[in-house]
Amino acid sequence: MPKKLFIKTYGCQMNVYDSARMAELLTPLGYAETQEAAEADLVLLNTCHIREKAAEKVYSELGRLRQAKEEAAAAGRAMTITVAGCVAQAEGEEMLRRAPVVDLVIGPQAYHRLPELIARVERERSGGLADTEFPVESKFDLLPQERGPQDVSAFLSVQEGCDKFCSFCVVPYTRGAEASRPVAQVLDEARRLVAAGAQEITLLGQNVNAYHGAAPSDDGSSWGLGRLLFALAELPGITRLRYTTSHPQDVDEELLAAHRDLRVLMPFLHLPVQSGSDRVLAAMNRKHTAADYLRIVEQLHAARPDLALSSDFIVGFPGESDADFQATLDLVEAVGFAQAYSFKYSPRPGTPASALASQVPGPVASERLARLQELLNRQQRTFNAETVGQVLPVLFDRAGRRPGQLVGRSPWMQSVHALLPDSARGQIIPVRVTAAGDNSLAGEALDAVGAWVAQPQPLEASAS
Ligand code: 5AD
Ligand code: SF4
């Protein structure tokens, strides 16, 4: 009987990707995934530390798991509990002390050692075992190369860690120094993904446009993200490329050229700005000003006029005045975002900003967040509404909630619902948009020559 593995993933796409890789790593140990924590032999919590109360959430989940572990033990079954990800990296051995239910704590730099460490826990099964040290070799060298059946849309991790040290952010501490995979490895993995059915590939990295992977020529030179995208675009079978998440400072000429020249590079970019105030940006150690950001946006639009932007914002950063916040609203007005994430600043222990004296009172930050979100939501609605009547190429990749309905993505990452047979899954189909909601579009699918293949669809009330 295969052993059962339950994985709970918190946080970003990088964690979703890491969870999938860890599941693959554990397959040779006989683990197959289950959706039920209670029946699992191995529970893996892949945690995220980027925002507030992350550690508390993990500890309360561990409280619930303690009961499941006790029940399993009463039934004569051992349950191994492993905490991975950035909370694991930040808490380290402290987690084993505070939550003795945990058998193994493993940081993101050590995932390739997971099978060995799990096997050891299973052997020893007495006391805990922490492994949060940074191994010398890159985790990329040891991740499994073979991959199971893939979705139409796949993620490919090309870069890890970050050297930017924004003063609010834990990533440089939890994910460690910036490291890029060699180009040849990335191209090989992309070929494998395509062979397994992927046609859209999203390159992942905490600071993905800092990518500087070793060149295939092996002459000590390296390629930036732009050059990598040009090479990926040459691979037969890839119809869409995306990358996330980027830093404005690392948008270079080659990347702009990729946006100008590559039709397969989708015209949608997540480019976090965090604030529109130069004073706040300096305190955040962002290394760019509001004017720099606006100039980069202009360059991107010059390269690809239909490019739409998404961003991250933090409000209530220590010392943020009303005027600073107004500068953020002004920047949002100037750019016009298709989509965005906005957060209230939360001090992360160990980061420089957490030691700043001038923390903004909670209610002030909440009020600013509400105002910013109102503006961003309005822009998103406008962006979506502008697509009504247009015909967009939609890559359909999943079933909708209603029978006969498929859901896909527009080039701008909008979810698009249409009535289509299941055989259309995995295809890019032109869709005339008939209705736009806050978060999704509905439309009627046209076949390649423009004939109707399905009738219009009402918007899903609960679509997100
Ligand atoms: N407080 C609030 N938001 C944060 N982010 C990162 N650290 C913090 C923090 N301490 C946000 C940033 C980042 C996104 C992934 O999370 O906007 O871009
Ligand atoms: Fe964190 Fe992104 Fe800044 Fe790196 S660039 S420190 S990941 S916010």
Side-chain angles (χ1 to χ4, degrees):
M1 261 248 301
K3 288 183 277 187
K4 290 180 179 157
L5 166 67
F6 173 80
I7 304 187
K8 180 162 180 174
T9 307
Y10 302 75
C12 62
Q13 285 304 346
M14 191 66 134
N15 269 14
V16 174
Y17 177 89
D18 282 344
S19 290
R21 295 291 80 71
M22 284 192 275
E24 282 174 31
L25 277 167
L26 291 166
T27 309
L29 290 192
Y31 283 100
E33 275 194 75
T34 170
Q35 303 305 316
E36 290 295 327
E39 63 173 36
D41 302 291
L42 173 57
V43 172
L44 183 67
L45 302 183
N46 190 8
T47 62
C48 172
H49 196 240
I50 208 148
R51 280 182 295 276
E52 214 170 13
K53 300 207 175 80
E56 279 61 39
K57 281 184 201 148
V58 175
Y59 282 114
S60 55
E61 182 71 32
L62 288 170
R64 285 189 288 276
L65 284 170
R66 194 178 62 168
Q67 203 183 343
K69 186 168 178 164
E70 281 165 4
E71 281 165 15
R77 194 165 53 79
M79 181 188 275
T80 303
I81 297 184
T82 295
V83 183
C86 295
V87 172
Q89 182 72 40
E91 297 278 299
E93 297 201 26
E94 171 62 20
M95 183 163 264
L96 293 175
R97 271 191 294 278
R98 198 173 143 189
V101 68
V102 175
D103 297 286
L104 176 69
V105 177
I106 183 165
Q109 280 81 13
Y111 288 162
H112 57 277
R113 296 182 53 202
L114 189 62
E116 161 206 337
L117 294 167
I118 291 290
R120 239 164 82 189
V121 172
E122 286 175 350
R123 271 198 311 274
E124 295 174 10
R125 201 155 281 296
S126 59
L129 172 71
D131 188 287
T132 51
E133 89 261 24
F134 288 61
V136 184
E137 69 275 38
S138 154
K139 76 167 205 174
F140 295 127
D141 299 339
L142 296 121
L143 284 176
Q145 298 296 310
E146 291 311 318
R147 303 177 57 134
Q150 278 299 318
D151 289 331
V152 181
S153 180
F155 292 107
L156 201 174
S157 172
V158 301
Q159 180 279 338
E160 266 262 2
C162 185
D163 293 338
K164 288 283 185 289
F165 289 92
C166 299
S167 63
F168 52 80
C169 184
V170 288
V171 166
Y173 310 98
T174 56
R175 290 280 174 161
E178 201 284 314
S180 296
R181 286 175 88 175
V183 171
Q185 234 187 64
V186 173
L187 295 178
D188 279 352
E189 184 165 347
R191 282 190 203 97
R192 272 193 295 272
L193 288 170
V194 172
Q199 49 173 305
E200 175 175 74
I201 293 185
T202 302
L203 306 181
L204 290 182
Q206 260 93 29
N207 183 10
V208 72
N209 60 337
Y211 178 82
H212 58 105
S217 53
D218 219 10
D219 58 0
S221 66
S222 64
W223 287 18
L225 186 67
R227 186 146 181 210
L228 180 69
L229 287 164
F230 273 99
L232 285 165
E234 295 285 309
L235 297 184
I238 293 185
T239 55
R240 290 183 167 192
L241 286 171
R242 303 179 186 275
Y243 62 91
T244 197
T245 292
S246 299
H247 190 288
Q249 205 196 23
D250 295 323
V251 175
D252 62 12
E253 286 300 325
E254 221 169 16
L255 194 53
L256 289 169
H259 280 286
R260 188 187 60 224
D261 297 341
L262 300 176
R263 290 303 93 184
V264 291
L265 182 55
M266 289 294 98
F268 180 80
L269 181 60
H270 183 64
L271 191 65
V273 62
Q274 314 296 356
S275 168
S277 153
D278 288 347
R279 227 171 54 82
V280 172
L281 287 168
M284 286 177 164
N285 191 30
R286 285 288 294 176
K287 305 177 176 77
H288 62 81
T289 62
D292 291 335
Y293 190 85
L294 293 174
R295 182 177 36 81
I296 293 160
V297 168
E298 212 171 281
Q299 290 169 334
L300 285 161
H301 278 142
R304 182 87 196 234
D306 61 345
L307 185 122
L309 286 145
S310 152
S311 200
D312 289 342
F313 295 88
I314 296 178
V315 301
F317 186 80
E320 184 188 69
S321 65
D322 284 341
D324 293 321
F325 176 63
Q326 185 57 47
T328 298
L329 296 178
D330 293 346
L331 179 134
V332 172
E333 292 280 9
V335 175
F337 290 95
Q339 195 254 333
Y341 303 94
S342 44
F343 312 102
K344 210 158 45 159
Y345 169 73
S346 73
R348 313 308 301 129
T351 57
S354 67
L356 296 175
S358 47
Q359 304 284 330
V360 173
V364 174
S366 298
E367 192 262 340
R368 287 179 188 163
L369 183 66
R371 282 175 61 197
L372 175 62
Q373 289 185 338
E374 196 190 304
L375 174 58
L376 289 166
N377 288 342
R378 196 162 65 232
Q379 292 191 339
Q380 182 170 336
R381 276 197 298 276
T382 305
F383 181 78
N384 287 345
E386 280 167 359
T387 62
V388 174
Q390 289 183 29
V391 176
L392 308 181
V394 178
L395 175 56
F396 286 94
D397 63 344
R398 59 196 190 279
R401 293 213 186 100
R402 297 175 188 189
Q405 188 191 51
L406 290 185
V407 186
R409 295 273 187 194
S410 77
W412 298 278
M413 286 299 277
Q414 294 143 304
S415 287
V416 186
H417 304 250
L419 279 180
L420 276 168
D422 205 54
S423 56
R425 216 195 274 213
Q427 292 185 44
I428 295 177
I429 293 179
V431 172
R432 187 181 308 283
V433 179
T434 52
D438 291 1
N439 295 305
S440 64
L441 310 176
E444 48 205 12
L446 315 178
D447 72 11
V449 290
W452 304 110
V453 295
Q455 288 307 303
Q457 259 291 57
L459 263 187
E460 287 238 334
S462 54
S464 64

